Amino acid sequence: MLPNCPKMNLAVSSVLLLIFCLFQNGSFQNITLRPSTVNIGAIFAFNSTIGKAANVAISAAVDDVNSDPNILNGTKLVVTPRNSNCSGFLGIIEALKMMEAETVAIVGPQCSSIAHIIAYVADELQVPLVSFGATDPTLSPIQFPYFVRTTQSDLYQMAAVAAIVDLYQWKLVTAVYTDDEYGRNGIAALDDKLAERRCKISYRARLPPVAGQADILDVLSKVTMEESRIIVVHVSSNGLAVFSVAQRLQMMSDGYVWIATDWLMSMLDSRSPLGNDIMDSLQGVIALRQHTPNSSSKRGLVSKWGALNKKYGNGLALNANTYGFYAYDSIWTVARALDRFFKIGGKIAFSNYSRLKDEVGGNLHVEATRVFDQGKLLLDEIIKINFTGITGQVSFNPDRDLVNSSYDILNIVGMGWRTIGFWSNFSGLSVVEPEKLYDKPKNFSLEQKLYPVIWPGGRVERPRGWVFPNNGELRVGVPDRVSFQQFVSYDEVTNTFKGFCVDVFLKAVELLPYPVPYQFVPFGDHEKNPNYTDLCNKVGTSFFDAAVGDIVITMNRTKVVDFTQPYIDSGLVVVAPVKRQKSNAWAFLQPFTLEMWCVIGGFFIVVGIVVWILEHRFNEDFRGPPKKQVATICWFSFSTLFFAHRENTVSTLGRGVLLIWLFVVLIIQSSYTASLTSILTVQQLTSPIQGIESLMASNDPIGYQTGSFAENYMVEELHIPRDRLKELTSPEQYLQALEQGPGNGGVAAVVDEMSYVELFLATQCRFQVVGSEFTRSGWGFAFPKDSPLAVDMSTAILSLSENGELQKIHDKWLKRSAACSSEANTDIEANRLHFDSFKGLFLICGLACIIALVVYLFIMLRQFIRLVPPDDQDLSGQASARSGRSLKSFLSFADERAQKSKSRSIKEKKELSNGTVGVES
């Protein structure tokens, strides 16, 4: 059970050399192709439960093989049992003794530790080692090529245990095991399988290979101090004493879960019925047993087991167990392989093991050490075996494990046990026998379930599986804050805590399905906020059992503790002073940039010219003198801005261009209107700091809250020099530092979490968050790594969020005050539109009107002087009367239509001309 054993050291090699020298015999010898007998060795512990069952099964199998005319064709199979007594040294000696009798295969051993040692001998002497009891998963065919396992590997048994743990949603397991290859390597496999399901072994309780009551008592006393109550027992001897001591320690009571590997059922199957005291100590235990299908051959062997036991069992009344069944099939496996071996021409031939003689210079007599010359051929035939035996299908996968590995899952109740389900490497946990699923496609997505279990103490509900360490109350560390006490505050007089975070914790604890005793312990000096990373480290080192407060979940902190589901979202933001931007006289130009204004104006002219070109030949509106056409182009294009153009387009191309241009004008007009509305109605705030990027680019000092992770984040992640950072302990210091500014010993901005900033800005409306959140995180409660309470608390927090309680607690403690109500009224006034925002627009319009009137007056005066001649005047008339008549004539001229004024002026000139000529004549 350790991973593959290292090569034997020099001392062990020397012992082997000496043992090899003890056995001296003849030289090379060949035996005929079909010998009358063939020798097989069997190594097991005669006095063990498994060994006693194996002895009966092996003897019965030999009789059945020799009585079957279809096997070995008359060659008699002879099996010589050897007692290893679970000793590696004796196992080597007995294996070498077998080679004196020219043994072609060895069945056994039952112990994994001995199998590791004998496998070296089997490899050197090229003798297949067929084990019916060595379940150590590290007995690999890569390291031991001649090792074949005819039982099930503990790799699959531990996968079954991990599946049970995962089914009931447990995360921590305590392992009680024998400190040898069998125990260590089996538990190592369990750890791997648990890790695949995000579970783990939290404590390993090691027992000596030969453990007494005192040893077991000492080990289990330590187990009672652990948090996990899921106990897996994987021992090789004296296992019943473990449960007897556990009962004395009241560990077989409510709240505990005991899972025993297949060693327990091999004892119960062999020795049942047991006494009341033994069965009482096993109540509620879940036990595994290697699954063997209920076949007629199995029932036949079980039915005659009593007679076989009397014949071969030395008078001991032991029942059959699964290891006995595997021992029976192991004999048949070797017999069938030998039959095939002989059929393909294999010969029983041995030669001296000359390597030892060569290595020692020829001084040692090692003629007795025999090598099976065609052992590799027999090994290949064993690996190819495929038949149905007592244990089901006997066939090997590429790793030389049985193809169908499965286990019965039993619950010990009363004086017996009941089957609550099965596990197989084909379909996982199921209440259906594995062989009934083999004909279906392999599918682990089937519902994984077991029948109800009666747990220790007679409980039918699933045990929680863990308790608080030392069975005491939780020591919960709570930060002793001096600022933002809406989140956490400590009253030294009453020694109590209150605040948003504390209320969330208390509500979550109420939702747990079990009581949680706890004691709040203040963390800090009550002079400044404590360092929250130090608080998490206290939890990671078990100084505190949990931490409750406004603790940000960060990557570095998750390395030392487990956090619950976040109960509030929070991220770092930048707070800076802001000024209201006053609207100016040219605000109506701001919706578009200068470039945009130029492009729009240019396109007005271009579109006017294009439409004029397309319409000139067909449309009278676009014909006439050049001056008129230029005016038409300008008027037409710019009038489209208001959809007020009067000129009709008659050409198809002109209409198409105009249609597209009108759509563009619609978009431009809508965008301009929306942008101008926003500029004139929404309060514009400005700040020299635009966000974290501009803050990083400057050299101004930055404030942060004492104890916040913001300091390390800005230094380590944003690479801001630490000398730029200024520690602030309270909102009052925030206000003072921001008002002073960077030039007067203050700060340019404060970097803090949004939750704190919202409370600060609720009363300080002269500051605002600039930019956006540049981290995304949340607050959670901290627990030690792999704490089941963290998972249950996360579920409770989610329930608080779904039922609305979390929001109620938030509103109770963190609801914004009305301190900014006056500012709100000011904002309403600021959002009203004033004349200042439109002065430029009105100025342009007024100037346009004045210029147009001046030009018009100049033109009218010019036309009046040119078109209307002066009236005849009496030489003696007064100048004032003449001036009054001229003003009256000008106003009358300006009031007339242009054509009428022009015609009247021409007529008057003609009449005046005719009158003058008549007088002269």
Side-chain angles (χ1 to χ4, degrees), residues 160-396:
V161 173
I164 296 172
V165 172
D166 185 52
L167 176 67
Y168 294 109
Q169 301 178 357
W170 297 314
K171 295 300 179 183
L172 301 180
V173 170
T174 296
V176 178
Y177 62 96
T178 303
D179 194 12
D180 58 9
E181 286 86 350
Y182 165 78
R184 286 192 300 269
N185 296 339
I187 295 303
L190 174 61
D191 199 17
D192 292 341
K193 293 301 179 179
L194 287 172
E196 293 176 3
R197 299 174 179 270
R198 302 180 65 84
C199 307
K200 64 177 291 186
I201 297 175
S202 61
Y203 182 71
R204 298 171 185 247
R206 299 177 298 174
L207 291 172
V210 181
Q213 292 279 339
D215 298 323
I216 298 173
L217 180 63
D218 180 60
V219 168
L220 292 187
S221 296
K222 296 177 181 178
V223 171
T224 60
M225 306 299 293
E226 294 300 315
E227 183 178 0
S228 172
R229 287 294 183 261
I230 312 301
I231 304 174
V232 177
V233 183
H234 185 61
V235 296
S236 56
S237 62
N238 208 16
L240 294 178
V242 172
F243 290 101
S244 176
V245 174
Q247 187 179 33
R248 287 168 47 195
L249 295 175
Q250 298 183 352
M251 298 175 66
M252 301 303 299
S253 58
D254 185 16
Y256 282 88
V257 174
W258 292 84
I259 302 175
T261 54
D262 61 356
W263 65 269
L264 178 59
M265 289 311 304
S266 66
M267 289 186 176
L268 297 184
D269 287 337
S270 299
R271 301 180 182 180
S272 62
L274 297 176
N276 292 337
D277 54 343
I278 295 178
M279 296 305 297
D280 287 344
S281 66
L282 298 175
Q283 295 301 298
V285 173
I286 294 178
L288 278 71
R289 177 173 59 196
Q290 300 181 64
H291 177 74
T292 55
N294 188 16
S295 61
S296 58
S297 57
K298 175 183 174 180
R299 290 192 297 269
L301 179 62
V302 172
S303 64
K304 62 181 181 181
W305 189 267
L308 293 172
N309 198 31
K310 291 180 179 180
K311 182 177 180 181
Y312 302 112
N314 298 323
L316 298 176
L318 290 178
N319 300 324
N321 60 37
T322 54
Y323 285 100
F325 298 148
Y326 282 110
Y328 182 91
D329 280 349
S330 297
I331 296 296
W332 274 95
T333 298
V334 175
R336 291 176 181 274
L338 281 170
D339 188 58
R340 292 169 57 89
F341 172 80
F342 291 136
K343 288 181 180 179
I344 62 176
K347 296 186 299 181
I348 304 298
F350 292 85
S351 59
N352 291 332
Y353 186 70
S354 59
R355 283 183 58 188
L356 290 178
K357 182 177 180 180
D358 295 339
E359 289 174 1
V360 297
N363 295 324
L364 294 177
H365 301 286
V366 291
E367 291 83 357
T369 305
R370 317 289 288 172
V371 177
F372 184 18
D373 294 335
Q374 293 193 333
K376 181 63 169 61
L377 181 61
L378 178 59
L379 174 67
D380 293 340
E381 295 305 318
I382 291 175
I383 296 172
K384 295 176 184 178
I385 282 295
N386 188 357
F387 71 98
T388 302
I390 298 294
T391 59
Q393 182 181 2
V394 180
S395 180
F396 303 101

Side-chain angles (χ1 to χ4, degrees), residues 916-921:
T916 304
V917 174
V919 171
E920 290 180 353
S921 62

Side-chain angles (χ1 to χ4, degrees), residues 583-591 836-841 843-844:
S583 181
N584 57 54
W586 306 103
F588 68 92
L589 295 176
Q590 294 179 6
D836 289 343
S837 301
F838 301 94
K839 287 192 300 186
L841 192 60
L843 178 60
I844 291 175

Side-chain angles (χ1 to χ4, degrees), residues 138-164:
T138 66
L139 286 166
S140 167
I142 298 176
Q143 183 183 10
F144 304 114
Y146 282 82
F147 176 80
V148 180
R149 193 196 322 267
T150 53
T151 188
Q152 298 184 38
S153 169
D154 277 341
L155 183 67
Y156 299 104
Q157 178 170 213
M158 297 310 171
V161 173
I164 296 172

Side-chain angles (χ1 to χ4, degrees), residues 475-521:
R475 295 186 74 250
V476 180
V478 185
D480 185 5
R481 293 193 60 89
V482 298
S483 63
F484 297 109
Q485 295 190 344
Q486 295 91 332
F487 296 105
V488 177
S489 62
Y490 173 57
D491 189 341
E492 291 183 322
V493 177
T494 61
N495 194 29
T496 58
F497 285 88
K498 61 182 179 179
F500 169 73
C501 303
V502 175
D503 280 5
V504 173
F505 176 79
L506 296 178
K507 284 291 184 181
V509 168
E510 291 178 2
L511 295 179
L512 296 178
Y514 46 83
V516 178
Y518 60 86
Q519 175 190 3
F520 286 146
V521 180

